Amino acid sequence: MRYDYPVIDCDVLVIGGGSAGAMAAIRAKEMDPGQRVVVFEKGEIKYSGCIARGMDALNIVAVPGISTPELYVESNGLACEGIMDEPVNYRMCERSWDLLKKLESWDVCFPLDEQGQHEVLQVHPKGRFCVTMKEPELKAILSERVLESGVRVLNRTMAVELLKNGGRVTGAIGMNVRTGEIIVCNAKAVILTAGGTARFGLPNNGYLYGVYDFPGNTGDGYCLAYKAGAELSGFEYTLIYYIIKDINAPLLYITLTRGANLLNAFGAHREKEHPSIKSMLLEHHEGRGPMRIIMSHLPERKIKEIEDILFTTERPVQERFFKGRDVDFRSGEIELWPTECFLCGGHGMTGVRVNEKAETAVPGLYAAGDTSLVARGHLSGAFVFGEISAESATEYAARTEAVELDRDQVSAFIMRRDSKLDQSGNPIPVEEFEYKVRRIINDYIVPPKNEYKLNNALWWMDRFRKELVELVRIGDVHDLFKAYEVENIIQCATMSATASKERKESRWGMWHFRHDYPDVNDREWMKHIVLSRGEALEDIKISHKEIIKM
Ligand SMILES: Cc1cc2nc3c(=O)[nH]c(=O)nc-3n(C[C@H](O)[C@H](O)[C@H](O)COP(=O)(O)OP(=O)(O)OC[C@H]3O[C@@H](n4cnc5c(N)ncnc54)[C@H](O)[C@@H]3O)c2cc1C
């Protein structure tokens, strides 16, 4: 039989070329320059992912003499309200200073004061861990290093299915999002770094892509891992941020740590009380929002400093946004609002369960960054666990034989893809369908939650799964890959409603607030809710796991 798709063999396949994936690929080549490392990236590695361009801080670094990994574990435990495994968080923080030094050796800019010290800010409940970074070229630096180290990067390639042999993951099927062509990668080890579910709830601005997190992240990593048999957790942690209205871009700590004032709708000052996103969101929902940032009292030098960071490093588009709205930091105010709801391991606590070696429950499968659960690890977690996953995958690949490709699995996928392409006569455009799915997520999964709403969410997601096949039009490749994305959003919503229904208490402020169980109940619920695949794909198994202490 003739097969008309290319097959590439490699030692380590990385799925997702964002922060964690780029770091994993670089580290895999450092570990063994001779091994073959491939990256599947849905977008273009030069700009894709949360970083896109640069970032203003490495949020978690234990700077010697200022803080320690032990204090970080304590501090993050408070922020996670106890639902946090200590060893992975300790491991991440323990390696954070070496990570910073490594980034500096790559010419990533962490500004130093006149005494040669880093700026270290407090944004956690306890201790100072947030080191200011000022590197508009961060993603370019990473992607160049990936390419220079000899990694083969396949841009515009969306991983659509993991290959399995027995219990082991042995590669992935990728699909070019522009041509629809299939490419198969036979790998000894696979690292999942496909981010979280940024396109989950619908943002107030009404744009499908106008979200806080990288809009190309549609929970693909979670769904690939789920289908392959991995364990997932934290899907009830439905995160909503509180940032610049409409553009949904960050600026809070950049301004507050430099002297800006935070006022609620009645003019009461809030900047002194270490305003967490959680507390601002509560204030907003209690009717004292929107909160506003005011900088008119600051000297010109400070305002320039803030503008310099905001308009160059993280989202330069902010400059145009504020100009377009006639907002000048010297006289105007910046209105803050809740973002859409999203799922994420880096800002939140949703992810594939991994141990200190970034191993999942499935042999050959590793996870890092927002796809994995190293609670609230942010960029530091993505980088450090990117490295750890590469070390573990390299070691596994070195002692493992490659297996022959299971052509039947690929053929079955191609048949399913082709039947999707037969949907060209269906009436509903995939964008409209995505809008509806995410509107229903807003109605029934976004907190405040209750059992009635969550049951409705599950009913709707079941129905959407069928409608995606029976009603949604797939006229070209663009529609096709969007349909795969929406399928994953639906699966993530199902997992989120399932876990939210299971956790019969309220925790993490608004993020998992249930009107029918309004109190925190540590006695019964100080544990993880773990999801895994049952016999059939739709059967989500629920189990409870103890919190792992050191
Ligand atoms: C706006 C914003 C500001 C932030 N600011 C900070 C900060 O200042 N400090 C800090 O410490 N942290 C910050 N964070 C958090 C931090 O950036 C993230 O936790 C981290 O970058 C996540 O890295 P990641 O590799 O997991 O995900 P990403 O960097 O998002 O990468 C995921 C990649 O996977 C690709 N992908 C998705 N699906 C597929 C698929 N099916 N096949 C192939 N590829 C796929 C995507 O295209 C993307 O490139 C910020 C996050 C955001 C969104």
Side-chain angles (χ1 to χ4, degrees):
M1 188 166 172
R2 236 190 96 251
Y3 298 99
D4 60 354
Y5 51 83
V7 177
I8 39 179
D9 293 309
C10 76
D11 298 289
V12 177
L13 168 66
V14 181
I15 295 179
S19 325
M23 204 52 134
I26 295 166
R27 184 72 186 132
K29 275 296 201 180
E30 280 174 2
M31 293 288 293
D32 177 358
Q35 72 174 331
R36 297 153 304 169
V37 179
V38 172
V39 175
F40 276 4
E41 166 50 51
K42 201 197 260 184
E44 154 64 67
I45 194 168
K46 223 161 139 187
Y47 330 100
S48 66
C50 287
I51 298 181
R53 195 184 156 109
M55 221 154 249
D56 61 88
L58 198 53
N59 282 1
I60 304 148
V61 186
V63 178
I66 294 185
S67 53
T68 61
E70 285 78 7
L71 182 62
Y72 174 69
V73 169
E74 189 189 336
S75 184
N76 200 37
L78 292 172
C80 296
E81 299 189 16
I83 312 296
M84 181 199 87
D85 290 337
E86 293 181 357
V88 280
N89 281 271
Y90 185 86
R91 189 89 201 277
M92 187 266 286
C93 196
E94 191 187 33
R95 288 180 58 152
S96 58
W97 177 246
D98 287 343
L99 167 78
L100 181 145
K101 288 279 143 202
K102 184 173 190 170
L103 291 170
E104 282 186 331
S105 76
W106 293 352
D107 290 334
V108 172
C109 172
F110 292 91
L112 299 173
D113 65 16
E114 279 150 18
Q115 283 76 47
Q117 304 299 313
H118 294 99
E119 184 177 47
V120 193
L121 308 168
Q122 178 165 3
V123 297
H124 293 86
K126 277 187 171 182
R128 285 192 293 141
F129 294 97
C130 178
V131 178
T132 300
M133 174 166 58
K134 205 175 160 214
E135 187 48 76
E137 302 305 328
L138 183 59
K139 193 66 203 292
I141 292 173
L142 288 174
S143 57
E144 270 161 30
R145 283 200 165 257
V146 171
L147 294 170
E148 277 164 12
S149 60
V151 172
R152 181 166 177 194
V153 177
L154 296 165
N155 285 315
R156 318 274 177 217
T157 303
M158 174 182 185
V160 280
E161 191 164 305
L162 292 178
L163 295 170
K164 274 194 91 178
N165 188 297
R168 193 183 133 196
V169 166
T170 55
I173 303 173
M175 188 185 79
N176 186 299
V177 297
R178 293 199 167 152
T179 63
E181 283 160 324
I182 298 294
I183 183 156
V184 174
C185 183
N186 218 16
K188 292 181 182 170
V190 175
I191 302 174
L192 279 178
T193 50
T197 317
R199 277 180 21 234
F200 190 62
L202 201 61
N204 275 355
N205 57 33
Y207 297 118
L208 291 177
Y209 290 74
V211 294
Y212 168 70
D213 204 331
F214 178 62
N217 294 342
T218 45
D220 306 1
Y222 300 148
C223 296
L224 290 166
Y226 170 82
K227 286 181 196 157
E231 292 181 336
L232 298 106
S233 191
F235 274 75
E236 69 278 27
Y237 191 95
T238 38
L239 195 55
I240 296 169
Y241 251 44
Y242 198 74
I243 46 176
I244 309 172
K245 183 174 187 300
D246 296 340
I247 191 173
N248 284 352
L251 97 165
L252 188 72
Y253 296 122
I254 299 166
T255 53
L256 291 190
T257 50
R258 289 172 178 81
N261 288 340
L262 179 72
L263 274 62
N264 69 13
F266 304 126
H269 280 254
R270 287 286 179 260
E271 65 274 2
K272 297 279 181 294
E273 301 151 23
H274 182 68
S276 65
I277 301 282
K278 208 157 64 179
S279 63
M280 289 195 295
L281 201 58
L282 262 182
E283 186 142 5
H284 187 96
H285 282 283
E286 285 167 358
R288 295 191 301 281
M291 316 282 277
R292 293 160 297 140
I293 293 213
I294 312 271
M295 290 183 267
S296 48
H297 59 288
L298 293 181
E300 179 63 21
R301 178 180 51 80
K302 268 282 163 211
I303 291 190
K304 278 239 158 68
E305 184 186 322
I306 290 168
E307 284 179 340
D308 197 30
I309 296 177
L310 279 181
F311 299 163
T312 59
T313 304
E314 204 158 291
R315 294 237 193 135
V317 69
Q318 283 195 27
E319 185 169 15
R320 260 189 294 143
F321 173 80
F322 287 120
K323 261 203 187 112
R325 303 224 162 181
D326 278 341
V327 173
D328 184 327
F329 294 172
R330 290 149 194 83
S331 50
E333 59 181 37
I334 301 167
E335 198 176 315
L336 308 177
W337 272 70
T339 63
E340 70 291 338
C341 182
F342 62 109
L343 305 171
C344 174
H347 282 97
M349 294 169 47
T350 307
V352 180
R353 276 167 70 82
V354 291
N355 61 14
E356 292 155 86
K357 293 175 166 179
E359 292 165 331
T360 69
V362 184
L365 185 65
Y366 302 81
D370 292 357
T371 299
S372 69
L373 178 52
V374 179
R376 305 179 77 253
H378 291 89
L379 191 57
S380 314
F383 282 161
V384 169
F385 266 81
E387 290 205 314
I388 292 174
S389 63
E391 290 158 16
S392 301
T394 300
E395 193 258 320
Y396 179 84
R399 63 180 156 82
T400 310
E401 289 299 318
V403 295
E404 207 177 312
L405 174 64
D406 175 3
R407 296 270 182 185
D408 290 347
Q409 200 188 332
V410 184
S411 302
F413 173 80
I414 291 175
M415 265 174 64
R416 288 196 301 277
R417 180 203 61 177
D418 290 348
S419 77
K420 278 192 175 15
L421 288 169
D422 286 342
Q423 292 180 214
S424 60
N426 281 356
I428 301 184
V430 67
E431 289 83 2
E432 255 176 47
F433 186 71
E434 177 177 339
Y435 187 93
K436 182 162 176 187
V437 169
R438 293 172 60 193
R439 187 177 61 72
I440 292 290
I441 289 174
N442 276 12
D443 290 345
Y444 293 129
I445 299 180
V446 171
K449 310 172 186 174
N450 61 45
E451 180 127 349
Y452 178 86
K453 285 164 113 182
L454 295 167
N455 281 334
N456 273 358
L458 291 170
W459 183 88
W460 272 105
M461 295 308 144
D462 238 16
R463 178 176 160 154
F464 285 145
R465 219 173 267 128
K466 294 186 195 96
E467 289 185 350
L468 187 56
V469 178
E470 290 163 6
L471 294 176
V472 171
R473 181 167 64 241
I474 298 181
D476 55 24
V477 170
H478 193 68
D479 292 346
L480 178 67
F481 99 85
K482 278 184 189 299
Y484 281 117
E485 291 190 327
V486 176
E487 195 171 285
N488 288 341
I489 296 170
I490 294 170
Q491 175 65 21
C492 287
T494 307
M495 294 198 282
S496 184
T498 304
S500 298
K501 210 176 130 184
E502 181 69 5
R503 186 174 284 283
K504 294 181 177 54
E505 63 154 358
S506 291
R507 195 174 283 270
W508 312 301
M510 275 306 290
W511 292 329
H512 176 68
F513 183 75
R514 286 194 55 162
H515 267 300
D516 43 358
Y517 299 98
D519 300 322
V520 177
N521 179 351
D522 281 347
R523 202 172 48 82
E524 283 185 62
W525 293 104
M526 185 59 90
K527 55 192 174 188
H528 297 286
I529 291 172
V530 175
L531 308 178
S532 57
R533 180 188 168 154
E535 276 301 306
L537 197 57
E538 309 77 49
D539 298 338
I540 300 174
K541 269 199 307 196
I542 305 172
S543 59
H544 297 170
K545 293 259 160 99
E546 293 308 313
I547 307 293
I548 306 171
K549 301 275 183 192
M550 289 203 297

